[in-house]
Amino acid sequence: EIGGDADLSRAERHVLPFFLSHRWLRVQGPRESHHPDTQDAAKATQLVAFARWFMSLAEASGLSCEVVFWIDWCCTDQDLPDGAEASVAALPLCI
C-alpha cells in the first residue's frame, strides 16, 4: 500500500555511505587471481561487523540507518605520492 507504514519507515531510514580505501591482499601469482580480500573474506567479515556495530549504536540513539560501502576496487597506489594524488582526483571519472 502506497503511503502505508512500510513507506513511512523507509522514508525515515537514513542511508550512510562509507568510502573504503585499502590495499589488495592477494597479489601473488597470475594477475587474474589477484583479489582485494583474503581467501576467507577477512575484510568483508570486518566490514559486516562494523556495519552491524554502527547500526546498533545508531539504533540505541534513536536513528534508523542502513550502512553501505563504496569500496575502492581500483585501489590507488599509496606508495607513489604524485600518482596517488592524481588517482584520487580521477576517481569521479570511474563512477
Side-chain angles (χ1 to χ4, degrees):
E1 173 186 340
I2 296 177
D5 289 340
D7 286 338
L8 181 59
S9 65
R10 258 183 274 150
E12 293 173 350
R13 189 173 193 86
H14 300 277
V15 177
L16 302 171
F18 288 87
F19 177 80
L20 174 69
S21 185
H22 61 99
R23 292 186 185 271
W24 282 44
L25 296 178
R26 285 189 272 161
V27 294
Q28 302 298 321
R31 190 162 182 80
E32 61 272 3
S33 68
H34 294 188
H35 196 275
D37 207 349
T38 61
Q39 286 284 96
D40 63 348
K43 282 185 185 181
T45 301
Q46 289 299 310
L47 287 173
V48 169
F50 170 80
R52 288 181 177 153
W53 169 80
F54 189 92
M55 289 188 306
S56 70
L57 286 181
E59 187 177 326
S61 298
L63 176 66
S64 178
C65 71
E66 179 179 353
V67 171
V68 296
F69 296 100
W70 173 20
I71 300 174
D72 175 15
W73 182 265
C74 60
C75 211
T76 299
D77 188 349
Q78 302 295 321
D79 294 329
L80 303 172
D82 295 336
E85 187 175 323
S87 295
V88 169
L91 279 175
L93 300 173
C94 300
I95 299 173

